Amino acid sequence: MPSLSRRTMLSALCALAAGAALRLWFIHAFPQIQGDSLLYADIARNWLTHGIYGRSIMHPGGPAAIAPTLVRLPGYPGFLALCFAVFGNQNYFAVLYLQVLIDLVACLLIAEFVRRLCGDRAAMAALWLAALCPFTANYVAMPLTETPSIFCVALGLCAFAAVLERPRPGWMLALAFAWSYAALLRPDGALLALVFFPALIFYGRNSLGFARSLRIALFSGLVSVLPFAVWTLRNWHTFHVFQPLAPRSATDPGEPKALGFQRWTKTWMADFASTYEIYWNVPGDDIDIHLLPARAVDEDTRQTMDLISQYNAGDLLTPQIDAGFAALAAARIRAHPVRYYGTLPLLRLADMWLRPRVEMLNIELRWWQYGQHRAETRIAYAYGALNLVYLLAALIGVFYWPGFATAMVAYVILRSLLLSTLGGPEPRYTLECFPMVIAFAAVAIDRVLNRVLGHD
């Protein structure tokens, strides 16, 4: 990296200081240790203290047992186990503070990637956009995979550009680490390698030559898949199943999967509110029919109500009830194939990209009910507007089509297509695209400034 001017260094330090303050404020104001965080921590503690990668199973009147599991990949439990070993068991705040550091490094990596594309001014814009982005910053306050996943995407982008510019061993290993750890955190993290492996050959054939770029891609790809050989062998030895990632159903072999209920929800679910109020609560809690949108009961009303009543009687999703939901889902799909295969997936995708990203704040889930919580509704509208500003700026940056735009757009499109197949939309699933969003937005700012200042 070339030497930086004092003014540039001061601006970068101010951006990092502002970013650190924002993230520390989120930790102070909105720390959350719940849901998946507790599952990851449970696996981490069992792995650290008992040498078993498994979940604690509570037995009434008896001690807890540890059952091996494969419902989560080992990337984040391993990170938590390392933190617990160094900073103390269940020291969650140490994890959160470490995530602040990881996220700020991700900001620097995004800026460095943009610098290689467009120069110092665009890089500084990217650093400020990344440091002050509340949508990525607020996830440091919860032990989840989002912060390290965003870091892996940022590292992957920066290492990708550096390898194509000058393929040093350090950057090649960094690229392999980004590909591998992204997939070890979440199965969808494998998209990073899926897109940038061929992109390395596509872009490198001119700057490095086809043969050399192919060797680099194969080396990085081979190194990145080595951990999955160990994980796959472990799953085969423990469960006698071939599972190189984690199952889409998030269940261990032999556990009920509730496929009928999940298919039924996909015939009407389109927003995060339904995910939170219905999808996550079954089995275990009642289905509140008053929370269902009209399209969930727009036909076969009696059959739907009967099934819900049967389930609510014990909050258990028996095989018979699940089969009833499966039959109901099949009938609804036959009646409305366009809605099931086209409209609803697009609505779920739009909800993940455009919904105000206030799920980590103390904001009502149904924030749009203005008469019940006016201040929270206004905050949600402000968040939604800011999210839209980031996305519109990124679209302008795409218009200028900077270097590596094909690979970045391909990643965003493929990830969006994958997310459209999910039944329960969550806005956090699009955050892994934000390094690209910020990079494109920074390009837009730089090009607009060029026009305003008359440099073009």
Side-chain angles (χ1 to χ4, degrees):
M1 181 185 299
S3 59
L4 300 176
S5 68
R6 181 175 297 180
R7 181 178 178 181
T8 300
M9 285 291 295
L10 181 60
S11 180
L13 289 174
C14 288
L16 292 174
L22 177 64
R23 286 155 179 79
L24 291 173
W25 179 78
F26 276 122
I27 291 175
H28 173 74
F30 306 110
Q32 297 191 36
I33 314 295
Q34 60 184 355
D36 275 358
S37 297
L38 297 177
L39 173 59
Y40 284 121
D42 181 49
I43 296 173
R45 285 193 300 270
N46 290 330
W47 199 8
L48 179 65
T49 59
H50 301 285
I52 301 174
Y53 189 87
R55 295 183 287 176
S56 298
I57 306 298
M58 303 302 296
H59 296 293
I66 301 174
T69 187
L70 51 70
V71 297
R72 293 293 186 271
L73 285 156
Y76 200 67
F79 169 73
L80 290 181
L82 180 60
C83 291
F84 291 162
V86 174
F87 301 108
N89 197 11
Q90 300 194 64
N91 190 342
Y92 290 107
F93 275 94
V95 175
L96 303 186
Y97 292 137
L98 185 56
Q99 289 190 161
V100 170
L101 180 61
I102 292 171
D103 207 37
L104 291 176
V105 172
C107 296
L108 288 171
L109 290 169
I110 295 170
E112 172 60 12
F113 170 70
V114 173
R115 185 194 67 80
R116 291 174 182 270
L117 289 182
C118 299
D120 291 343
R121 186 173 61 192
M124 193 56 60
L127 182 58
W128 277 100
L129 287 172
L132 296 182
C133 179
F135 317 126
T136 55
N138 63 5
Y139 270 92
V140 304
M142 190 172 189
L144 284 175
T145 59
E146 269 58 45
T147 295
S149 292
I150 294 167
F151 169 82
C152 285
V153 175
L155 177 61
L157 286 173
C158 188
F160 175 79
V163 166
L164 288 174
E165 185 176 304
R166 188 175 181 182
R168 294 179 176 177
W171 281 119
M172 292 165 60
L173 290 174
L175 184 62
F177 173 82
W179 290 357
S180 184
Y181 196 57
L184 283 171
L185 289 165
R186 299 178 55 89
D188 50 45
L191 281 176
L192 189 64
L194 184 65
V195 171
F196 284 92
F197 178 89
L200 191 59
I201 301 171
F202 175 77
Y203 288 105
R205 73 189 193 283
N206 294 325
S207 59
L208 304 175
F210 177 79
R212 190 180 185 191
S213 62
L214 177 61
R215 287 196 300 270
I216 293 172
L218 289 174
F219 169 79
S220 299
L222 178 62
V223 172
S224 68
V225 301
L226 290 178
F228 296 94
V230 178
W231 174 248
T232 304
L233 289 173
R234 177 263 181 186
N235 291 338
W236 180 262
H237 179 266
T238 304
F239 297 101
H240 308 292
V241 296
F242 178 76
Q243 186 56 257
L245 291 172
R248 186 183 179 92
S249 62
T251 57
D252 285 317
E255 283 188 322
K257 297 182 179 181
L259 297 179
F261 172 78
Q262 293 173 13
R263 191 167 178 81
W264 171 70
T265 60
K266 288 183 71 174
T267 65
W268 56 266
M269 188 178 294
D271 61 281
F272 177 65
S274 296
T275 301
Y276 189 94
E277 295 169 338
I278 307 295
Y279 190 77
W280 286 349
N281 293 329
V282 176
D285 290 319
D286 283 358
I287 296 177
D288 187 345
I289 60 173
H290 301 99
L291 298 176
L292 293 173
R295 62 181 172 274
V297 290
D298 57 0
E299 57 188 49
D300 297 317
T301 304
R302 173 174 290 184
Q303 185 180 357
T304 302
M305 294 303 179
D306 286 345
L307 279 171
I308 292 175
S309 296
Q310 292 176 41
Y311 165 77
N312 286 348
D315 292 341
L316 294 175
L317 200 60
T318 65
Q320 293 77 16
I321 295 175
D322 192 56
F325 278 116
L328 181 59
R332 291 172 61 85
I333 294 169
R334 286 194 300 270
H336 301 284
V338 175
R339 182 171 71 179
Y340 181 79
Y341 292 107
T343 307
L344 284 172
L346 290 176
L347 288 175
R348 287 192 287 265
L349 185 61
D351 188 72
M352 285 185 271
W353 272 108
L354 301 177
R355 184 183 182 87
R357 300 174 184 275
V358 294
E359 67 275 9
M360 292 291 291
L361 308 180
N362 292 332
I363 300 292
E364 285 291 332
L365 182 65
R366 294 177 175 268
W367 46 263
W368 58 89
Q369 297 173 338
Y370 184 72
Q372 299 181 22
H373 29 69
R374 297 186 178 186
E376 294 179 10
T377 300
R378 290 194 290 267
I379 293 172
Y381 282 152
Y383 255 62
L386 181 60
N387 180 66
L388 194 59
V389 167
Y390 269 80
L391 297 182
L392 290 176
L395 285 176
I396 295 172
V398 172
F399 172 79
Y400 288 106
W401 207 255
F404 311 135
T406 301
M408 290 192 288
V409 170
Y411 177 85
V412 173
I413 291 175
L414 285 178
R415 184 167 183 84
S416 296
L417 289 174
L418 176 63
L419 294 179
S420 70
T421 67
L422 300 180
E426 294 185 56
R428 66 188 178 106
Y429 292 153
T430 53
L431 289 179
E432 281 81 359
C433 295
F434 261 70
M436 286 79 170
V437 169
I438 291 169
F440 278 127
V443 169
I445 292 173
D446 180 66
R447 298 299 170 85
V448 169
L449 285 176
N450 273 339
R451 288 182 177 275
V452 171
L453 297 175
H455 291 170
D456 278 350

